[in-house]
Amino acid sequence: MKAVVYQEPHKVEVTEVEDPRIEAPNDVIVRITSTAICGSDLHMYEGRTGAEPGTVFGHENMGTIVEVGNGVVSLTEGDRVVMPFNVACGFCKNCLAGKTGFCLTVNPGFAGGAYGYVSMGPYRGGQAEYLRVPFADFNCLRLPPGDEHENDFAMLADIFPTGYHGTELAQVSPGESVVVMGAGPVGLMAAYSALLRGAATVYSVDRVPHRLRLAEQIGAVPINYSEGDPVAQIVEHNQGQGVDKGVDAVGYQATVAEGEEQPAVVLNTLAEVVRPTGQIGVVGLYVTNDPGAPNEEAKRGNLLLAMGRIFEKGLRMGTGQANVKAYNRQLRDMIIAGRARPSFVVSKELPLSEAPEAYAKFDAREEGYSKVVLKPGMS
Amino acid sequence: MKAVVYQEPHKVEVTEVEDPRIEAPNDVIVRITSTAICGSDLHMYEGRTGAEPGTVFGHENMGTIVEVGNGVVSLTEGDRVVMPFNVACGFCKNCLAGKTGFCLTVNPGFAGGAYGYVSMGPYRGGQAEYLRVPFADFNCLRLPPGDEHENDFAMLADIFPTGYHGTELAQVSPGESVVVMGAGPVGLMAAYSALLRGAATVYSVDRVPHRLRLAEQIGAVPINYSEGDPVAQIVEHNQGQGVDKGVDAVGYQATVAEGEEQPAVVLNTLAEVVRPTGQIGVVGLYVTNDPGAPNEEAKRGNLLLAMGRIFEKGLRMGTGQANVKAYNRQLRDMIIAGRARPSFVVSKELPLSEAPEAYAKFDAREEGYSKVVLKPGMS
Amino acid sequence: MKAVVYQEPHKVEVTEVEDPRIEAPNDVIVRITSTAICGSDLHMYEGRTGAEPGTVFGHENMGTIVEVGNGVVSLTEGDRVVMPFNVACGFCKNCLAGKTGFCLTVNPGFAGGAYGYVSMGPYRGGQAEYLRVPFADFNCLRLPPGDEHENDFAMLADIFPTGYHGTELAQVSPGESVVVMGAGPVGLMAAYSALLRGAATVYSVDRVPHRLRLAEQIGAVPINYSEGDPVAQIVEHNQGQGVDKGVDAVGYQATVAEGEEQPAVVLNTLAEVVRPTGQIGVVGLYVTNDPGAPNEEAKRGNLLLAMGRIFEKGLRMGTGQANVKAYNRQLRDMIIAGRARPSFVVSKELPLSEAPEAYAKFDAREEGYSKVVLKPGMS
Amino acid sequence: MKAVVYQEPHKVEVTEVEDPRIEAPNDVIVRITSTAICGSDLHMYEGRTGAEPGTVFGHENMGTIVEVGNGVVSLTEGDRVVMPFNVACGFCKNCLAGKTGFCLTVNPGFAGGAYGYVSMGPYRGGQAEYLRVPFADFNCLRLPPGDEHENDFAMLADIFPTGYHGTELAQVSPGESVVVMGAGPVGLMAAYSALLRGAATVYSVDRVPHRLRLAEQIGAVPINYSEGDPVAQIVEHNQGQGVDKGVDAVGYQATVAEGEEQPAVVLNTLAEVVRPTGQIGVVGLYVTNDPGAPNEEAKRGNLLLAMGRIFEKGLRMGTGQANVKAYNRQLRDMIIAGRARPSFVVSKELPLSEAPEAYAKFDAREEGYSKVVLKPGMS
């Protein structure tokens, strides 16, 4: 079958790879109908990770089941399904606690697995025609048959639950004011989730105009940090007060207004703008090994955090990749009921063959390539 | 000053009463600008309680502070404020736990106090020109100056937080299906709150067409129980499933389709339509003494509940009057941010002098009198 | 193999039945080392359910794995395991939410399955030499090898988590006062759990002296309801106050001091003795079909509850059988660390062959038979 | 009256100061019976804060009410009371949310007030004969009359609730493994609280033998970090696993085994030893201005935290000084019921006149001075 295969920094190709097959009784094989490119794929694409050439990318996968292992009981050939980017077993201590992003079974020696991602276990990615899904009863979420809401449902694999996770870590509740750092796809999903949960006011902070326009369209207040201190802008709008809650949807490749990378700047901005007793949800990625970091400590993931300020304000902070399984069912039901339309972030649909160009343009932050959904069935 | 005074069953009059005055250092006096008539006022009006002639009615009060006791530190003459219907001290065991509807200080021998309500303590009601507010730092919620959103803010005294409380007791969360029994003002506020909290689908059950129209306008699915078994109607709409959560916004004066009172019918309908592991929030009133009940047990508040079914399904049920203080600030902020407009339930504004007519027509369920806000300053 | 087989009301026999075998890839077969008789087995034994002759009893099972299906990944032959009484799939909507007592997969048409119990699905009981365990990765909890703490671990199948569940439904927290109705094995486990969670004072209500002695030994305050109104006794001991929380560990076969059955008496006692804003956890069984009930409504599970009182006090009530999987790992770890010794309730160990006598004496409430653990390996 | 007055670094004196008096209707005056010296007093004593000469120290205060303002309703002359170290109003946004350590009223321009502490508002300390308590209905916790449990109750002002707060921030629940960094008075209270909440295993990390002995006596596992890497010691004891939860009871003056200060070492040890998905409660103090810090960034409270590791493991962290009012009532009830005896940390009782010597010896970490309770009535 055809698949998007990593070659070297800044180069992926669509090549033939072996078809996946049922390897264990709880597996299914899914024919991919939609598979999105994620900002975190760029970390590998840019060579800022240890990803090996030959890796098949793709962790935002949905499609139709074409083969079912004999241990699977709830799924049938023909079922339309979307898979969390996390691979999880469903029965370990962490999965039982709903922490499916930190499964102790699927990636021995590490807490958490994923499809098509460096260090996340032996699971091939889904930017391909077919995908093997282990522990399928647990990892497949069934969708209504047909092709309605295809791009909405595709967002359930990662970015909609990931944005939502940011608001859950920050325990966003009705009537609160919330700042979301970053208005890329995940940041937009976090802002959208905060509004769906009843936040009174949501600030979206970025410096890319077309992102800020999208944020405004969904009801957030856009804050352009290249036009002045974002803390001051927010406090002024917020009746002179800090905000109740904050979400970091940027991570370690954070930049200041001048464009320079400062890996702790987003966290410290949140420590400043969130009011005493507030909470911060961190879904932007922080890593323990960043060869491209600006200094030796940052290369090991050690960042200068305003700990004195955090303690003085009694802030709480939750971190880590989303436990997609904890949210995807309810978010699916919001889509079915017409109460959520996360596909507003999708900028383009492309056939698998155009993946190399899509990666290059996304990496260059070209408008129109901010969220590409690959369609292996498109020609 | 003038006030709405209870005379006898089915009769209130607007008469002169003594002006309220500062009685303790933590009191303030409020000039009332808006004071709504509540469905629970009708229990007294109809003579189905032990309310004494001479009682000044009114527990949904808002206005402007005109006098401030010398122990009050956060309020000033001229402040625009709305008061929870519950009177609370702020420092007893229950207030500390956020259960301000069950204050142990303000109504000795009972848990909970209120303005202008039988058995709820010595607090005169606010359907009058002025109101004394005890423990004012705790009981007054400040509002933006001016007269914007007057009727929205007036709903913060009782029915918006009470409806919201129903969804809190049922722990309504994003993506869930919810049934709200009753589409009177409180039921509508519960349905509205469920939607604000992100419910996927909300069913509003009633038999009065204009109430069901309002429910539909805010995004709920109207279910007319006079047109067929409401459980069957809901399950059919809900893909053959029971709903995740339920709210009882009716209480003990529940009726069946034929109009007969059956005090347990709403609770047992919820036990039937809520799915296993679901939760029920009960904000409709149940009493320990109902002279008008259909049988001896019901007169003492003992009702035949489907306990076997409730246990078999593992249902959880929360009950009781709202702890308004736990919600009114956040709901106020949603109004200020333009994210909530609870005044959609207000059917009419009237001067204080028209209170007697308003009570009579509300009691007769005349359209247009479902939620009257009295305006003592109106002439 | 040999198994305890139900014959007719008040009669079980130990007979030969077919050995269980792996039926699906996720099954394991367990050689039973300990399997306890439960109070809920008596409902079937006494003929107060629709249990069919031929049913193999036993839902409190532990033992050693002797055969493993090819879909199972976390278990090996020789592993020592204990199984929740609930059979659950691990991936349905309810299992995902931690409500494994209400699994939607294992018992089609009903929420929840169990071993060896009427209406709880096609799962043979474990009062036998061997047991088939479906979805074994999910349903088996691994234990330290060897035979240490055998009876403590055996209590993890049902009554320790069930007692704990009562305290969880009531949200018992440190420093609270708690009443537990019933000091049978489950009631004792509830009282013990409340103390482990840090309750300040726990009242155990029963009328059987040896049960009350056990309650006192673990640190509870014994209340003998045959010696006077239990509400008055508790309030007097509790500085004139109602208690913060209550647990019903009795259920529908509740009796009053004179010995007569009154199915709602325990619930209504709790409604009386729990203070305003309190919470009640109901783990005692209530059923929808009780042929032996004292009246027609009670036969259908409809009970006269003091709903007026419950609402007036703003009580919350959680119900239903325990989701054992939600607690058994943590409770196991307390046993391993020496912080919990639930085996104090075990009154006797017997070989399988003595099950008929054990049932008869347990049913007659003979002292020494209150909690029997059958040992199929004993001769 | 006599009071402990700060003179200059390393010098306090007992001198005459003006008697406190009722300044506002909600004040009371308390005659102090017990007032403890706290580790955080040493920060001021050592000159590592901006505390002014003339400051009366003392925030762990208890005693008897001798005068009552006319706005106070729940207290009477003669009542025995203990006061949280936080001064709070009871009605601001933060107090309403239970965050009484971050009151917005009592210390304008800052969130949070306290008695006798630099920057915490105009509230004189209680290491004196008398103390003025503002908002007394809210700030006084009533105790049983008499003098029983005097030192237990004295611990309710700060260190017992502060230790408990650490376990609450980390959401310690029954059956978990917990590490508490630091076995000084607060660390011991945190370990004790974790055990009271049902933790299976608690590790207490320190290097002072007499502290570790106390930890062991209450049931914790002592870990001496001067004898080897504490992470390795804990993981070895904990079956090769990291622990579920961690509490930082040390703060910014953390030292490594060699005795050198490294302000982030405790936090980073927790990031290492707490397992993925775990939680960390930080009650050890971190400041925004530390003149004695080892580098420029640390002087401003900016510390090098292992953020990559924290994110990778999905850790959550709660911080800040305790909201004493959220816990002191329940902890008091545990003392009254005989279920908690926090006075085990008290090493010595001294008259007020010996405060200067007590400070000097406590500052020198002399054994026997780790927790001194001053008794102004002692001669």
Side-chain angles (χ1 to χ4, degrees):
Chain A
M1 67 166 184
K2 294 196 181 309
V4 177
V5 182
Y6 175 63
Q7 307 294 327
E8 61 186 62
H10 297 96
K11 184 169 178 194
V12 295
E13 284 188 357
V14 176
T15 64
E16 283 288 328
V17 301
E18 206 179 345
D19 280 4
R21 54 181 187 78
I22 298 288
E23 297 177 14
N26 292 307
D27 288 355
V28 299
I29 303 297
V30 173
R31 181 172 50 76
I32 298 296
T33 55
S34 293
T35 176
I37 302 177
C38 180
S40 62
D41 288 326
L42 290 187
H43 299 310
M44 294 191 291
Y45 180 81
E46 293 175 0
R48 272 180 87 166
T49 71
E52 296 287 331
T55 302
V56 175
F57 284 178
H59 56 267
E60 303 193 8
N61 305 312
M62 89 179 256
T64 305
I65 292 179
V66 292
E67 197 180 345
V68 179
N70 69 345
V72 174
V73 305
S74 69
L75 300 165
T76 323
E77 213 185 299
D79 282 351
R80 188 187 185 202
V81 291
V82 61
M83 277 66 64
F85 75 87
N86 341 269
V87 179
C89 72
F91 53 77
C92 72
K93 182 175 179 177
N94 287 349
C95 282
L96 278 176
K99 310 288 187 182
T100 55
F102 300 86
C103 176
L104 299 168
T105 303
V106 298
N107 188 10
F110 193 81
Y115 302 95
Y117 212 87
V118 57
S119 305
M120 295 302 272
Y123 306 98
R124 202 155 67 177
Q127 293 174 4
E129 292 177 280
Y130 295 95
L131 178 72
R132 178 177 79 90
V133 178
F135 301 110
D137 280 318
F138 192 73
N139 286 311
C140 293
L141 178 71
R142 279 201 293 186
L143 302 170
D147 56 10
E148 209 183 1
H149 303 314
E150 178 82 11
N151 284 347
D152 288 312
F153 290 140
M155 300 301 104
L156 291 173
D158 182 347
I159 66 168
F160 191 14
T162 292
Y164 190 89
H165 186 54
T167 65
E168 182 70 18
L169 289 173
Q171 292 180 26
V172 171
S173 65
E176 292 188 324
S177 55
V178 181
V179 59
V180 178
M181 300 299 290
V186 167
L188 288 167
M189 288 293 102
Y192 192 56
S193 297
L195 289 163
L196 288 172
R197 290 166 75 111
T201 310
V202 175
Y203 299 95
S204 273
V205 180
D206 209 303
R207 58 173 177 166
V208 180
H210 71 86
R211 292 173 161 193
L212 290 169
R213 276 196 304 276
L214 266 181
E216 194 167 14
Q217 281 167 24
I218 59 168
V221 178
I223 301 290
N224 189 328
Y225 72 86
S226 74
E227 294 174 359
D229 175 20
V231 175
Q233 291 183 66
I234 291 167
V235 169
E236 188 189 344
H237 185 281
N238 202 45
Q239 289 92 44
Q241 306 294 317
V243 294
D244 296 311
K245 302 291 173 67
V247 176
D248 173 353
V250 174
Y252 74 112
Q253 289 187 279
T255 54
V256 290
E258 299 71 31
E260 179 204 356
E261 275 195 23
Q262 286 193 9
V265 68
V266 160
L267 290 169
N268 288 333
T269 299
L270 287 172
E272 204 59 38
V273 78
V274 174
R275 71 180 185 82
T277 77
Q279 290 184 264
I280 296 169
V282 182
V283 292
L285 186 69
Y286 291 86
V287 296
T288 54
N289 180 8
D290 173 18
N295 61 61
E296 285 310 304
E297 288 290 357
K299 281 178 184 169
R300 294 194 298 273
N302 299 326
L303 308 186
L304 268 173
L305 289 197
M307 190 63 204
R309 180 64 92 190
I310 288 169
F311 182 89
E312 180 180 272
K313 294 172 111 173
L315 301 182
R316 281 171 290 165
M317 181 170 80
T319 75
Q321 61 175 23
N323 308 298
V324 171
K325 193 79 185 161
Y327 315 120
N328 64 357
R329 182 182 300 260
Q330 299 92 306
L331 297 177
R332 174 198 68 183
D333 291 347
M334 296 187 83
I335 293 169
I336 293 173
R339 300 257 302 150
R341 287 282 168 270
S343 60
F344 75 85
V345 297
V346 173
S347 57
K348 202 175 289 287
E349 300 184 352
L350 290 174
L352 205 58
S353 56
E354 295 190 29
E357 188 185 343
Y359 267 89
K361 292 189 171 171
F362 180 28
D363 193 43
R365 270 70 180 168
E366 278 195 30
E367 198 168 343
Y369 288 82
S370 60
K371 191 64 186 175
V372 170
V373 182
L374 299 172
K375 305 280 176 176
M378 211 180 189
S379 57
Chain B
M1 67 167 185
K2 294 194 180 311
V4 177
V5 182
Y6 175 64
Q7 308 293 326
E8 61 187 60
H10 297 96
K11 184 169 178 194
V12 295
E13 284 187 358
V14 177
T15 64
E16 282 288 327
V17 302
E18 207 180 343
D19 280 3
R21 54 182 186 75
I22 298 288
E23 298 177 14
N26 292 308
D27 289 354
V28 299
I29 304 297
V30 173
R31 181 172 50 73
I32 298 296
T33 56
S34 293
T35 177
I37 302 176
C38 180
S40 60
D41 287 328
L42 291 187
H43 299 310
M44 295 191 290
Y45 181 78
E46 295 174 358
R48 271 179 87 167
T49 71
E52 296 286 331
T55 301
V56 175
F57 283 179
H59 56 266
E60 302 193 8
N61 304 312
M62 94 179 251
T64 306
I65 291 179
V66 292
E67 197 179 347
V68 179
N70 70 343
V72 175
V73 305
S74 69
L75 301 165
T76 323
E77 213 184 299
D79 283 350
R80 188 189 186 201
V81 291
V82 62
M83 277 65 63
F85 75 87
N86 341 271
V87 179
C89 72
F91 52 77
C92 71
K93 181 175 180 177
N94 287 348
C95 282
L96 279 175
K99 311 287 187 180
T100 55
F102 300 87
C103 176
L104 299 168
T105 303
V106 298
N107 188 11
F110 193 81
Y115 302 95
Y117 212 88
V118 57
S119 305
M120 295 301 274
Y123 305 99
R124 202 153 68 177
Q127 293 174 5
E129 291 177 282
Y130 295 95
L131 177 72
R132 179 177 78 90
V133 178
F135 302 109
D137 280 318
F138 192 74
N139 285 311
C140 293
L141 178 72
R142 278 201 293 186
L143 302 169
D147 56 11
E148 210 183 0
H149 302 313
E150 179 82 10
N151 283 347
D152 288 311
F153 291 140
M155 300 301 103
L156 291 172
D158 183 348
I159 66 167
F160 192 14
T162 291
Y164 189 89
H165 186 53
T167 65
E168 182 71 17
L169 289 174
Q171 292 181 26
V172 171
S173 66
E176 291 188 325
S177 54
V178 181
V179 59
V180 178
M181 300 299 289
V186 168
L188 287 167
M189 288 293 103
Y192 191 56
S193 296
L195 289 163
L196 288 171
R197 290 167 75 110
T201 309
V202 175
Y203 299 96
S204 274
V205 180
D206 209 301
R207 58 171 179 168
V208 181
H210 70 85
R211 291 174 161 190
L212 291 169
R213 276 197 303 275
L214 266 180
E216 193 166 16
Q217 281 167 25
I218 60 167
V221 178
I223 301 290
N224 189 329
Y225 72 85
S226 73
E227 295 174 358
D229 175 20
V231 175
Q233 291 185 64
I234 291 167
V235 169
E236 188 190 343
H237 185 281
N238 202 45
Q239 289 91 44
Q241 305 294 319
V243 294
D244 296 312
K245 302 291 174 66
V247 176
D248 172 353
V250 174
Y252 74 111
Q253 289 188 276
T255 53
V256 290
E258 299 71 30
E260 179 204 355
E261 275 195 23
Q262 287 193 6
V265 68
V266 160
L267 289 169
N268 288 333
T269 299
L270 287 171
E272 203 58 37
V273 78
V274 174
R275 71 179 186 83
T277 76
Q279 291 184 265
I280 296 169
V282 181
V283 292
L285 185 69
Y286 291 87
V287 297
T288 53
N289 180 6
D290 173 18
N295 61 59
E296 285 311 303
E297 288 290 357
K299 280 179 184 167
R300 295 195 299 273
N302 300 326
L303 308 186
L304 267 173
L305 289 196
M307 190 62 205
R309 180 65 93 191
I310 288 169
F311 183 88
E312 180 180 270
K313 293 173 112 174
L315 301 182
R316 282 171 288 164
M317 180 171 79
T319 75
Q321 60 175 23
N323 308 298
V324 170
K325 194 79 186 162
Y327 317 119
N328 64 358
R329 181 183 301 259
Q330 300 93 305
L331 297 178
R332 174 198 69 186
D333 292 347
M334 295 187 84
I335 293 169
I336 293 172
R339 301 256 302 149
R341 287 283 169 270
S343 60
F344 76 85
V345 296
V346 174
S347 56
K348 202 177 288 289
E349 301 184 352
L350 291 174
L352 205 57
S353 56
E354 296 190 27
E357 190 185 343
Y359 268 88
K361 292 189 170 171
F362 181 28
D363 193 42
R365 270 70 179 170
E366 279 195 30
E367 198 169 341
Y369 287 82
S370 59
K371 191 67 188 175
V372 170
V373 183
L374 299 172
K375 305 282 178 175
M378 213 179 187
S379 57
Chain C
M1 68 167 185
K2 294 194 181 310
V4 177
V5 182
Y6 176 63
Q7 307 294 327
E8 60 187 60
H10 297 96
K11 182 168 180 196
V12 295
E13 285 188 356
V14 177
T15 64
E16 282 289 327
V17 301
E18 207 180 343
D19 280 3
R21 54 179 187 77
I22 299 287
E23 299 177 14
N26 292 307
D27 288 355
V28 299
I29 304 297
V30 172
R31 181 171 51 74
I32 297 297
T33 55
S34 293
T35 177
I37 302 177
C38 180
S40 60
D41 288 327
L42 291 187
H43 299 309
M44 294 191 290
Y45 181 79
E46 294 174 358
R48 270 179 89 165
T49 70
E52 296 287 331
T55 301
V56 175
F57 283 178
H59 55 268
E60 302 194 9
N61 305 312
M62 92 179 253
T64 306
I65 292 179
V66 292
E67 196 179 347
V68 179
N70 71 342
V72 175
V73 305
S74 68
L75 300 165
T76 323
E77 213 184 299
D79 282 351
R80 187 188 187 203
V81 292
V82 62
M83 278 66 64
F85 76 85
N86 341 268
V87 180
C89 72
F91 52 78
C92 72
K93 183 176 179 176
N94 287 350
C95 282
L96 279 175
K99 311 287 186 180
T100 55
F102 301 85
C103 175
L104 299 168
T105 303
V106 298
N107 188 11
F110 194 80
Y115 302 95
Y117 212 87
V118 58
S119 306
M120 296 301 272
Y123 305 99
R124 202 153 68 176
Q127 293 174 6
E129 290 177 283
Y130 295 95
L131 177 72
R132 179 177 77 90
V133 178
F135 302 110
D137 280 318
F138 192 74
N139 285 312
C140 293
L141 178 71
R142 278 202 292 187
L143 302 170
D147 56 11
E148 209 182 1
H149 301 315
E150 179 82 9
N151 283 347
D152 288 312
F153 290 141
M155 300 301 104
L156 292 172
D158 182 348
I159 66 166
F160 192 13
T162 291
Y164 190 88
H165 186 54
T167 66
E168 182 71 18
L169 288 173
Q171 292 180 27
V172 171
S173 66
E176 292 188 325
S177 54
V178 181
V179 59
V180 177
M181 301 298 291
V186 168
L188 288 168
M189 288 293 103
Y192 192 55
S193 296
L195 289 163
L196 288 172
R197 291 167 75 110
T201 308
V202 175
Y203 300 95
S204 274
V205 180
D206 209 301
R207 59 172 177 166
V208 180
H210 70 86
R211 291 173 160 191
L212 290 170
R213 277 197 303 274
L214 266 181
E216 194 166 15
Q217 281 167 24
I218 59 168
V221 178
I223 301 289
N224 189 329
Y225 71 84
S226 74
E227 296 174 358
D229 175 20
V231 175
Q233 291 184 65
I234 292 167
V235 169
E236 187 189 345
H237 184 281
N238 202 44
Q239 288 91 43
Q241 305 294 317
V243 294
D244 295 312
K245 301 292 173 66
V247 176
D248 173 353
V250 174
Y252 74 110
Q253 290 187 281
T255 53
V256 290
E258 299 71 31
E260 179 204 357
E261 274 195 27
Q262 286 193 6
V265 69
V266 161
L267 289 169
N268 288 333
T269 299
L270 287 171
E272 204 58 38
V273 78
V274 174
R275 71 180 185 83
T277 77
Q279 291 185 265
I280 296 169
V282 181
V283 292
L285 185 68
Y286 291 87
V287 297
T288 53
N289 180 7
D290 173 18
N295 61 61
E296 286 310 304
E297 288 290 356
K299 282 178 184 168
R300 294 195 299 273
N302 300 325
L303 308 186
L304 267 173
L305 290 195
M307 190 63 205
R309 179 65 91 193
I310 289 169
F311 183 90
E312 181 180 270
K313 293 172 113 174
L315 301 182
R316 281 171 288 165
M317 180 171 80
T319 75
Q321 60 175 22
N323 308 297
V324 171
K325 194 80 185 160
Y327 316 118
N328 65 356
R329 181 182 302 260
Q330 300 92 306
L331 297 178
R332 175 199 67 186
D333 291 347
M334 295 187 84
I335 292 169
I336 293 174
R339 301 257 301 150
R341 287 282 169 268
S343 60
F344 75 85
V345 295
V346 174
S347 55
K348 201 174 290 288
E349 301 184 353
L350 291 173
L352 204 57
S353 55
E354 297 189 27
E357 189 184 344
Y359 267 89
K361 292 189 170 168
F362 181 28
D363 193 42
R365 269 72 180 169
E366 279 196 28
E367 198 168 342
Y369 287 82
S370 60
K371 191 66 187 174
V372 170
V373 182
L374 299 172
K375 305 281 178 176
M378 213 179 187
S379 56
Chain D
M1 67 167 185
K2 294 195 182 309
V4 177
V5 182
Y6 175 63
Q7 307 294 327
E8 61 186 61
H10 297 96
K11 183 169 179 197
V12 295
E13 285 188 357
V14 177
T15 64
E16 283 287 329
V17 302
E18 206 180 345
D19 281 3
R21 54 180 186 76
I22 298 288
E23 297 178 15
N26 292 308
D27 289 354
V28 299
I29 303 297
V30 173
R31 182 173 50 75
I32 297 296
T33 55
S34 292
T35 176
I37 302 177
C38 180
S40 61
D41 288 327
L42 291 187
H43 299 309
M44 294 191 290
Y45 180 79
E46 294 173 359
R48 271 179 87 167
T49 70
E52 296 286 331
T55 301
V56 175
F57 284 178
H59 56 267
E60 302 192 9
N61 305 312
M62 92 179 253
T64 305
I65 292 179
V66 293
E67 197 179 347
V68 179
N70 69 343
V72 175
V73 305
S74 68
L75 301 164
T76 323
E77 215 185 297
D79 282 352
R80 188 187 185 203
V81 291
V82 61
M83 277 67 62
F85 75 86
N86 340 271
V87 180
C89 72
F91 53 77
C92 72
K93 182 177 179 175
N94 287 349
C95 283
L96 278 176
K99 311 288 186 180
T100 54
F102 300 86
C103 175
L104 299 168
T105 303
V106 298
N107 188 10
F110 193 81
Y115 302 94
Y117 212 86
V118 57
S119 304
M120 295 301 272
Y123 305 99
R124 202 153 68 177
Q127 293 174 3
E129 293 177 281
Y130 296 95
L131 177 73
R132 179 178 77 90
V133 178
F135 302 109
D137 281 317
F138 192 74
N139 286 311
C140 293
L141 178 71
R142 279 201 293 186
L143 302 170
D147 56 12
E148 209 184 0
H149 301 313
E150 179 82 10
N151 283 349
D152 289 311
F153 291 141
M155 299 302 104
L156 292 173
D158 182 348
I159 66 166
F160 191 16
T162 291
Y164 189 89
H165 186 54
T167 65
E168 181 72 18
L169 289 174
Q171 292 180 27
V172 171
S173 65
E176 291 189 324
S177 54
V178 181
V179 59
V180 177
M181 301 298 291
V186 168
L188 287 167
M189 288 292 104
Y192 191 57
S193 296
L195 289 163
L196 288 172
R197 290 166 75 110
T201 309
V202 175
Y203 299 95
S204 273
V205 180
D206 209 301
R207 57 171 178 169
V208 181
H210 70 84
R211 291 173 160 192
L212 291 169
R213 277 197 303 275
L214 266 181
E216 194 166 14
Q217 281 166 23
I218 58 168
V221 178
I223 300 289
N224 189 329
Y225 72 85
S226 74
E227 295 174 358
D229 175 20
V231 175
Q233 292 184 65
I234 292 167
V235 168
E236 188 190 343
H237 185 281
N238 202 43
Q239 289 91 43
Q241 306 294 318
V243 295
D244 295 312
K245 302 291 173 66
V247 176
D248 173 353
V250 175
Y252 74 111
Q253 289 189 278
T255 53
V256 290
E258 299 71 30
E260 179 204 357
E261 273 195 26
Q262 285 193 8
V265 69
V266 161
L267 289 169
N268 288 333
T269 299
L270 287 172
E272 204 58 37
V273 78
V274 174
R275 72 180 184 82
T277 76
Q279 289 185 266
I280 296 169
V282 182
V283 292
L285 186 68
Y286 291 87
V287 297
T288 53
N289 180 8
D290 172 18
N295 62 60
E296 286 310 304
E297 288 290 357
K299 282 178 182 167
R300 295 194 299 274
N302 300 326
L303 309 186
L304 267 173
L305 289 196
M307 189 65 205
R309 181 62 93 192
I310 289 169
F311 183 89
E312 180 179 272
K313 293 173 111 173
L315 301 182
R316 280 171 289 164
M317 181 171 79
T319 75
Q321 61 175 23
N323 309 298
V324 171
K325 194 80 187 163
Y327 317 119
N328 64 356
R329 182 182 300 260
Q330 299 92 306
L331 298 177
R332 174 199 68 185
D333 291 347
M334 294 186 84
I335 293 168
I336 293 173
R339 301 257 301 150
R341 286 284 169 269
S343 60
F344 75 84
V345 297
V346 174
S347 56
K348 202 175 288 287
E349 301 184 354
L350 291 174
L352 205 58
S353 56
E354 295 190 28
E357 189 184 343
Y359 269 89
K361 293 191 169 170
F362 181 28
D363 194 41
R365 271 70 178 169
E366 280 196 27
E367 198 169 342
Y369 288 82
S370 59
K371 191 64 186 175
V372 170
V373 183
L374 300 172
K375 306 280 178 177
M378 212 179 187
S379 55

